[in-house]
Amino acid sequence: MSTKRRILLIEDEPHIALGLKDALEFEGFAVMHTARGLEGVAVARAERPDCVILDIMLPDLNGYKVCEELRRLDAQVPIIMLTARSQESDKIRGLDAGADDYVTKPFSVNELVARIRAIFRRAARATGAPETFRIGDAEVNLTTQTVTRGDKSEPLSFYETELLRLLHGKTGAPVSREEILTKVWGLEATPTNRTVDNFVVKLRKKIEDAPDKPIHILTVYGTGYKLAL
Ligand code: CA
């Protein structure tokens, strides 16, 4: 039985799709490719890939919609969006739709492969004994990637989980944005510090009673963030 990690590539530009498919297969991944959004959702439903690479501009359904559909199917599968746009608002929209990461076209295949490898490395490390802890009245489970408050349970995306893992390991101590990027995203150059801030905003909504007045995931001005239980 093959143990190759299976990547679903949803990209309609033939030369980009072919180049990526070749590069990813050369790196040892199994690649399923589709050029259309709806078909991508169907393939994800049938095949349950380990990671999805998703273009935003698709001929039928745009990538944001596809991302929302994929999230409905699987709350945890890592989704990396490919965007030709560099505006921050488009990236935030992608993250809001449930993407974990994005790369802006034109991108280096090596960078994308490095991101995918980092995702799988951390996913492998994350398997093991159930890891749970409390933040205020929220019960965080790093193994199932969920946060539960009262009778309401919400999924955590891959990077949300890894960000909480890092902050929890250093509870009470400031953690710089640079350290977060290096340890959670695995690369120093990109994505930007704003990415960290966007993920913190999302985490606060899941964990804090008053996300605008956080008492657990605290901003350390000029540095980064720290966790108070
Ligand atoms: Ca496209």
Side-chain angles (χ1 to χ4, degrees):
M1 196 176 83
S2 171
T3 55
K4 282 185 179 179
R5 298 283 196 170
R6 296 154 69 247
I7 297 174
L8 170 58
L9 171 62
I10 307 175
E11 164 65 84
D12 62 311
E13 287 166 64
H15 66 287
I16 292 180
L18 191 61
L20 262 183
K21 187 169 189 292
D22 281 351
L24 292 170
E25 285 175 348
F26 180 78
E27 295 289 332
F29 301 114
V31 180
M32 300 168 271
H33 169 243
T34 165
R36 303 183 80 84
L38 284 172
E39 190 187 348
V41 174
V43 172
R45 183 179 290 121
E47 299 288 342
R48 299 281 160 177
D50 298 304
C51 178
V52 179
I53 300 170
L54 172 61
D55 188 33
I56 287 184
M57 303 296 284
L58 293 166
D60 54 341
L61 201 59
N62 76 49
Y64 304 115
K65 292 267 182 249
V66 175
C67 191
E68 288 170 6
E69 290 298 317
L70 292 172
R71 272 285 165 260
R72 266 195 275 280
L73 282 177
D74 185 336
Q76 292 159 5
V77 63
I79 300 172
I80 301 175
M81 296 191 97
L82 304 178
T83 168
R85 308 165 182 183
S86 58
Q87 287 97 336
E88 194 68 23
S89 60
D90 289 317
K91 293 170 182 172
I92 293 169
R93 194 174 163 202
L95 297 174
D96 278 346
D100 289 291
D101 204 352
Y102 50 81
V103 292
T104 304
K105 291 178 180 176
F107 57 89
S108 121
V109 170
N110 286 342
E111 183 189 339
L112 183 60
V113 168
R115 297 248 186 122
I116 294 166
R117 286 208 176 288
I119 282 174
F120 287 149
R121 259 200 314 279
R122 282 186 290 281
R125 196 188 61 203
T127 58
E131 293 172 273
T132 65
F133 53 83
R134 295 192 76 81
I135 301 175
D137 62 355
E139 169 94 10
V140 175
N141 188 323
L142 298 179
T143 308
T144 58
Q145 294 185 216
T146 51
V147 56
T148 306
R149 302 174 70 205
D151 54 6
K152 186 163 171 266
S153 199
E154 278 192 274
L156 295 168
S157 75
F158 175 79
Y159 283 112
E160 289 171 344
T161 305
E162 293 308 305
L163 179 52
L164 277 180
R165 185 193 306 280
L166 176 63
L167 291 175
H168 182 253
K170 301 189 166 214
T171 296
V175 184
S176 71
R177 287 183 180 82
E178 289 71 25
E179 180 175 356
I180 292 170
L181 283 173
T182 305
K183 292 192 173 163
V184 174
W185 273 265
L187 292 168
E188 290 175 37
T190 54
T192 65
N193 286 346
R194 276 295 294 276
T195 302
V196 176
D197 299 340
N198 293 337
F199 272 79
V200 165
V201 167
K202 290 166 68 176
L203 276 178
R204 280 174 174 159
K205 286 179 185 162
K206 295 184 178 182
I207 284 168
E208 303 275 358
D209 279 331
D212 293 342
K213 297 189 181 69
I215 59 170
H216 298 298
I217 303 175
L218 303 173
T219 301
V220 182
Y221 289 98
T223 305
Y225 296 96
K226 74 175 179 184
L227 183 66
L229 298 182

